[in-house]
Amino acid sequence: MEIKKLNTPLTKEKLAVLKAGDMVSLTGTIYTARDAAHKRLIDMINNNEKLPFNIENQTIFYAGPSPNKPNEVMGSIGPTTSYRMDAYSPKLLELGLLSMIGKGKRSKEVIDSIIKYGGIYFAAIGGAAAYMSHCVKKSKIMAFEDLGTEAIRELYVEDMPLIVAIDSKGNNALTA
């Protein structure tokens, strides 16, 4: 099977050619955020506050890394169950978020928003957190440092292996 190479920043045009089930190798800047960080982002939006990074055309990886060992950029970093972010994802997609990385199924509302806004949902391989950490070449905390491992981080990744779980047309590899 062909592995499609993608580089951030992503665009709707780049995502439109991907199909559910495609294997992807992602290189570029992405952001980590889990439940608590998503809640804070939505609170900031509701309070008309500036977000800690420009959400437009970005990728959020639902992950909270473990502490890194000496001489490592990142500790193990695997995907979090995505449905925990389903209450927040439609609003972020509306504001320009283009892709999400996690594991597991998504709600109908999230799938409808993916279709409406031309986004995509990638699945990362669960259980491969130690391997995934080697894809991370740079990491810095962007916001919510008090959340510890769940702080928002900006990562630079190289050749992160992903699968298109839900493509921009709503086709779903998780229900096939």
Side-chain angles (χ1 to χ4, degrees):
M1 176 177 256
E2 176 190 359
I3 297 175
K4 299 182 181 198
K5 294 205 172 266
L6 280 180
N7 291 296
T8 65
L10 299 176
T11 63
K12 290 181 183 183
E13 294 75 28
K14 286 181 188 178
L15 299 182
V17 300
L18 298 174
K19 294 179 177 32
D22 283 351
M23 300 196 59
V24 170
S25 175
L26 183 67
T27 295
T29 299
I30 65 174
Y31 295 88
T32 64
R34 288 181 45 177
D35 317 49
H38 272 76
K39 181 178 181 336
R40 288 191 187 177
L41 288 173
I42 295 299
D43 288 345
M44 291 176 81
I45 291 165
N46 291 338
N47 292 325
N48 295 314
E49 297 174 31
K50 185 177 182 200
L51 295 180
F53 64 96
N54 181 359
I55 196 108
E56 193 169 348
N57 299 326
Q58 297 301 337
T59 299
I60 293 182
F61 183 18
Y62 304 145
S66 63
N68 55 306
K69 295 177 183 166
N71 302 319
E72 288 184 349
V73 174
M74 177 75 38
S76 294
I77 183 165
T80 296
T81 304
S82 300
Y83 74 79
R84 293 169 36 191
M85 273 53 74
D86 281 3
Y88 313 111
S89 297
K91 184 63 175 178
L92 297 177
L93 286 161
E94 177 186 341
L95 294 175
L97 178 69
L98 275 186
S99 65
M100 302 157 286
I101 303 168
K103 68 178 180 183
K105 296 182 179 184
R106 304 307 301 266
S107 70
K108 180 180 180 339
E109 293 77 20
V110 171
I111 295 169
D112 290 345
S113 293
I114 287 171
I115 296 166
K116 182 174 182 179
Y117 300 110
I120 204 162
Y121 170 54
F122 294 109
I125 298 152
Y131 172 76
M132 297 287 268
S133 72
H134 297 292
C135 297
V136 179
K137 304 303 178 187
K138 294 180 188 173
S139 172
K140 70 176 178 180
I141 293 177
M142 295 296 294
F144 317 138
E145 190 168 1
D146 62 301
L147 295 178
T149 62
E150 293 195 33
I152 292 180
R153 286 177 171 72
E154 180 182 85
L155 305 180
Y156 182 81
V157 299
E158 289 181 356
D159 296 319
M160 179 178 268
L162 303 170
I163 299 166
V164 176
I166 302 171
D167 65 29
S168 62
K169 293 160 193 70
N171 299 308
N172 194 332
L174 301 174
T175 59

Coordinates of all heavy atoms in Angstrom, one line a residue, residues 90-140:
P90 N -16.3 20.4 17.0 CA -17.1 21.2 16.0 C -16.7 22.7 16.0 O -16.6 23.3 14.9 CB -18.5 20.9 16.3 CG -18.5 19.5 16.9 CD -17.2 19.6 17.7
K91 N -16.6 23.3 17.1 CA -16.3 24.7 17.2 C -14.9 25.0 16.7 O -14.7 26.0 16.0 CB -16.4 25.2 18.7 CG -16.2 26.7 18.8 CD -17.3 27.5 18.1 CE -17.2 29.0 18.3 NZ -18.2 29.7 17.5
L92 N -14.0 24.2 17.0 CA -12.6 24.4 16.6 C -12.5 24.2 15.0 O -11.8 24.9 14.4 CB -11.6 23.4 17.3 CG -11.5 23.7 18.8 CD1 -10.6 22.7 19.4 CD2 -11.1 25.1 19.1
L93 N -13.2 23.2 14.5 CA -13.3 23.0 13.0 C -13.9 24.3 12.4 O -13.4 24.7 11.4 CB -14.1 21.8 12.7 CG -13.3 20.4 13.0 CD1 -14.3 19.3 13.0 CD2 -12.3 20.2 11.9
E94 N -14.9 24.8 13.0 CA -15.6 26.0 12.5 C -14.6 27.2 12.4 O -14.6 28.0 11.5 CB -16.8 26.4 13.4 CG -17.5 27.7 12.9 CD -18.6 28.1 13.9 OE1 -19.0 27.3 14.7 OE2 -18.9 29.3 13.9
L95 N -13.7 27.2 13.4 CA -12.7 28.3 13.4 C -11.5 28.1 12.6 O -10.5 28.9 12.6 CB -12.3 28.6 14.9 CG -13.4 29.1 15.7 CD1 -13.0 29.2 17.2 CD2 -13.9 30.5 15.2
G96 N -11.4 26.9 11.8 CA -10.3 26.7 10.9 C -9.4 25.5 11.2 O -8.5 25.2 10.4
L97 N -9.6 24.8 12.3 CA -8.8 23.6 12.5 C -9.1 22.7 11.4 O -10.2 22.5 10.9 CB -9.3 22.9 13.9 CG -8.6 21.6 14.2 CD1 -7.1 21.9 14.6 CD2 -9.3 20.9 15.4
L98 N -8.0 22.1 10.8 CA -8.2 21.2 9.7 C -8.1 19.7 10.0 O -8.7 18.9 9.3 CB -7.2 21.5 8.5 CG -7.7 22.6 7.6 CD1 -6.7 22.8 6.5 CD2 -9.1 22.4 7.1
S99 N -7.2 19.3 10.9 CA -7.1 17.9 11.2 C -6.9 17.6 12.6 O -6.4 18.4 13.4 CB -6.0 17.3 10.3 OG -4.7 17.8 10.7
M100 N -7.3 16.4 13.0 CA -7.2 15.9 14.4 C -6.6 14.5 14.3 O -6.9 13.8 13.4 CB -8.6 15.8 15.0 CG -9.3 17.2 15.0 SD -11.2 17.0 15.1 CE -11.5 16.5 13.4
I101 N -5.8 14.2 15.3 CA -5.2 12.9 15.4 C -5.5 12.3 16.7 O -5.4 12.9 17.8 CB -3.6 13.0 15.3 CG1 -3.2 13.7 14.0 CG2 -3.0 11.6 15.4 CD1 -1.7 14.1 14.0
G102 N -6.0 11.1 16.7 CA -6.4 10.4 18.0 C -6.6 8.9 17.7 O -6.1 8.3 16.8
K103 N -7.5 8.3 18.6 CA -7.9 7.0 18.3 C -9.3 6.8 18.7 O -9.9 7.5 19.5 CB -7.0 6.0 19.2 CG -7.2 6.1 20.6 CD -6.4 5.1 21.4 CE -6.6 5.2 22.9 NZ -5.8 4.3 23.7
G104 N -10.0 5.9 18.0 CA -11.4 5.6 18.3 C -12.4 6.4 17.4 O -12.0 7.3 16.6
K105 N -13.6 6.1 17.6 CA -14.7 6.7 16.8 C -15.0 8.1 17.2 O -14.6 8.5 18.3 CB -16.0 5.8 16.9 CG -15.8 4.4 16.4 CD -17.0 3.6 16.4 CE -16.8 2.2 15.8 NZ -17.9 1.4 15.8
R106 N -15.7 8.8 16.3 CA -16.1 10.2 16.5 C -17.6 10.3 16.4 O -18.3 9.4 15.8 CB -15.5 11.1 15.5 CG -14.0 11.1 15.3 CD -13.2 11.3 16.6 NE -13.5 12.6 17.3 CZ -12.8 13.7 17.2 NH1 -11.8 13.7 16.4 NH2 -13.1 14.7 18.0
S107 N -18.2 11.3 17.1 CA -19.7 11.5 17.1 C -20.2 11.9 15.7 O -19.4 12.4 14.9 CB -20.1 12.5 18.1 OG -19.6 13.8 17.7
K108 N -21.5 11.8 15.5 CA -22.1 12.3 14.3 C -21.8 13.8 14.1 O -21.6 14.3 13.0 CB -23.6 12.0 14.3 CG -24.3 12.5 13.0 CD -25.8 12.2 13.1 CE -26.6 12.6 11.8 NZ -26.0 13.6 11.0
E109 N -21.9 14.6 15.2 CA -21.7 16.0 15.1 C -20.3 16.3 14.6 O -20.1 17.3 13.8 CB -21.9 16.7 16.5 CG -23.4 16.6 17.0 CD -23.8 15.3 17.5 OE1 -23.0 14.4 17.9 OE2 -25.0 15.0 17.5
V110 N -19.3 15.6 15.1 CA -17.9 15.8 14.6 C -17.8 15.5 13.2 O -17.2 16.2 12.4 CB -16.9 15.1 15.5 CG1 -15.5 15.1 14.9 CG2 -16.9 15.6 16.9
I111 N -18.3 14.3 12.8 CA -18.3 13.9 11.4 C -19.0 14.9 10.5 O -18.4 15.3 9.4 CB -18.9 12.5 11.2 CG1 -18.0 11.5 11.9 CG2 -19.0 12.1 9.7 CD1 -18.6 10.1 12.1
D112 N -20.1 15.4 10.9 CA -20.8 16.5 10.1 C -20.0 17.7 10.0 O -20.0 18.4 8.9 CB -22.2 16.8 10.8 CG -23.2 15.7 10.7 OD1 -23.0 14.8 9.9 OD2 -24.2 15.8 11.4
S113 N -19.3 18.1 11.1 CA -18.4 19.3 11.0 C -17.2 19.0 10.1 O -16.7 19.9 9.4 CB -17.9 19.7 12.4 OG -19.0 20.1 13.2
I114 N -16.6 17.8 10.1 CA -15.5 17.5 9.2 C -16.0 17.7 7.8 O -15.2 18.3 7.0 CB -15.1 16.0 9.5 CG1 -14.3 15.9 10.8 CG2 -14.2 15.5 8.3 CD1 -14.0 14.5 11.2
I115 N -17.1 17.2 7.5 CA -17.7 17.4 6.1 C -17.9 18.9 5.8 O -17.5 19.4 4.8 CB -19.0 16.6 5.9 CG1 -18.7 15.1 6.1 CG2 -19.6 16.9 4.6 CD1 -20.0 14.3 6.2
K116 N -18.6 19.6 6.7 CA -18.9 21.0 6.5 C -17.7 21.9 6.3 O -17.7 22.8 5.4 CB -19.8 21.5 7.7 CG -20.2 22.9 7.5 CD -21.2 23.3 8.6 CE -21.7 24.7 8.5 NZ -22.6 25.1 9.5
Y117 N -16.6 21.6 7.1 CA -15.5 22.5 7.0 C -14.3 21.9 6.3 O -13.2 22.5 6.3 CB -15.1 22.9 8.5 CG -16.2 23.6 9.2 CD1 -16.9 23.0 10.2 CD2 -16.6 24.9 8.7 CE1 -18.0 23.7 10.8 CE2 -17.7 25.6 9.3 CZ -18.4 24.9 10.4 OH -19.4 25.6 11.0
G118 N -14.4 20.8 5.7 CA -13.3 20.2 4.9 C -12.2 19.7 5.7 O -11.0 19.7 5.2
G119 N -12.4 19.2 6.9 CA -11.4 18.7 7.8 C -11.1 17.2 7.6 O -11.6 16.6 6.6
I120 N -10.4 16.6 8.5 CA -10.0 15.2 8.4 C -9.7 14.7 9.8 O -9.3 15.5 10.7 CB -8.9 15.0 7.4 CG1 -8.9 13.6 6.9 CG2 -7.5 15.4 8.0 CD1 -8.0 13.4 5.6
Y121 N -9.9 13.4 10.0 CA -9.5 12.8 11.3 C -8.6 11.7 11.0 O -8.9 10.7 10.2 CB -10.8 12.3 12.0 CG -10.6 11.5 13.2 CD1 -9.7 11.9 14.2 CD2 -11.2 10.2 13.3 CE1 -9.5 11.1 15.4 CE2 -11.0 9.4 14.4 CZ -10.1 9.8 15.4 OH -9.9 9.1 16.5
F122 N -7.4 11.8 11.5 CA -6.4 10.7 11.4 C -6.4 9.9 12.7 O -6.5 10.4 13.8 CB -5.0 11.3 11.3 CG -4.7 12.1 10.1 CD1 -4.6 13.5 10.2 CD2 -4.6 11.5 8.8 CE1 -4.3 14.3 9.0 CE2 -4.3 12.3 7.7 CZ -4.2 13.7 7.8
A123 N -6.2 8.6 12.5 CA -6.0 7.7 13.6 C -4.5 7.4 13.7 O -3.8 7.2 12.7 CB -6.7 6.4 13.3
A124 N -4.0 7.5 14.9 CA -2.6 7.1 15.3 C -2.7 5.7 15.9 O -3.8 5.3 16.4 CB -2.0 8.1 16.2
I125 N -1.7 5.0 15.7 CA -1.7 3.6 16.2 C -1.5 3.5 17.7 O -0.5 4.0 18.2 CB -0.6 2.8 15.5 CG1 -0.9 2.8 14.0 CG2 -0.5 1.4 16.0 CD1 0.3 2.7 13.1
G126 N -2.6 3.1 18.4 CA -2.5 2.9 19.8 C -1.5 1.8 20.2 O -1.3 0.9 19.4
G127 N -0.8 2.0 21.3 CA 0.2 1.0 21.7 C 1.6 1.2 21.1 O 2.5 0.5 21.4
A128 N 1.7 2.3 20.3 CA 3.0 2.6 19.6 C 3.6 3.9 20.1 O 4.3 4.5 19.4 CB 2.8 2.6 18.1
A129 N 3.3 4.2 21.4 CA 3.7 5.5 21.9 C 5.2 5.7 22.0 O 5.7 6.8 21.7 CB 3.1 5.7 23.3
A130 N 5.9 4.7 22.3 CA 7.4 4.8 22.4 C 7.9 5.0 20.9 O 8.8 5.9 20.7 CB 8.0 3.5 23.0
Y131 N 7.4 4.3 20.0 CA 7.8 4.5 18.6 C 7.5 6.0 18.1 O 8.3 6.6 17.5 CB 7.2 3.5 17.6 CG 7.4 3.8 16.2 CD1 8.6 3.6 15.6 CD2 6.4 4.4 15.4 CE1 8.9 3.9 14.3 CE2 6.7 4.7 14.1 CZ 7.9 4.5 13.5 OH 8.1 4.8 12.2
M132 N 6.2 6.4 18.4 CA 5.8 7.7 18.0 C 6.7 8.8 18.6 O 6.9 9.9 17.9 CB 4.3 8.0 18.4 CG 3.3 7.0 17.8 SD 3.0 7.4 16.1 CE 1.7 8.5 16.2
S133 N 7.2 8.6 19.8 CA 8.1 9.6 20.4 C 9.3 9.9 19.5 O 9.9 11.0 19.5 CB 8.5 9.2 21.8 OG 9.5 8.2 21.7
H134 N 9.8 8.9 18.7 CA 10.9 9.1 17.8 C 10.6 10.0 16.6 O 11.5 10.5 16.0 CB 11.5 7.8 17.4 CG 12.0 7.0 18.6 ND1 13.1 7.4 19.3 CD2 11.5 5.9 19.2 CE1 13.3 6.5 20.3 NE2 12.4 5.6 20.2
C135 N 9.3 10.2 16.3 CA 8.9 11.1 15.2 C 9.0 12.5 15.7 O 9.0 13.4 14.8 CB 7.5 10.8 14.8 SG 7.3 9.1 14.2
V136 N 9.0 12.8 17.0 CA 9.0 14.2 17.5 C 10.4 14.7 17.6 O 11.3 14.1 18.3 CB 8.4 14.2 18.9 CG1 8.4 15.7 19.4 CG2 6.9 13.7 18.9
K137 N 10.7 15.7 16.8 CA 12.1 16.3 16.7 C 12.2 17.5 17.6 O 13.3 17.9 17.9 CB 12.4 16.6 15.3 CG 12.3 15.4 14.3 CD 13.1 14.2 14.8 CE 13.0 13.0 14.0 NZ 13.7 11.8 14.5
K138 N 11.1 18.3 17.8 CA 11.2 19.5 18.6 C 9.9 19.5 19.4 O 8.8 19.1 18.9 CB 11.3 20.7 17.8 CG 12.6 20.9 17.0 CD 12.5 22.2 16.2 CE 13.7 22.3 15.3 NZ 13.7 23.4 14.4
S139 N 9.9 20.1 20.6 CA 8.8 20.2 21.5 C 8.9 21.5 22.3 O 10.0 21.7 22.9 CB 8.6 19.0 22.4 OG 7.6 19.2 23.3
K140 N 7.8 22.3 22.4 CA 7.8 23.4 23.4 C 6.4 23.6 23.9 O 5.4 23.4 23.1 CB 8.4 24.6 22.8 CG 7.6 25.3 21.7 CD 8.2 26.6 21.3 CE 7.4 27.3 20.2 NZ 7.9 28.5 19.7

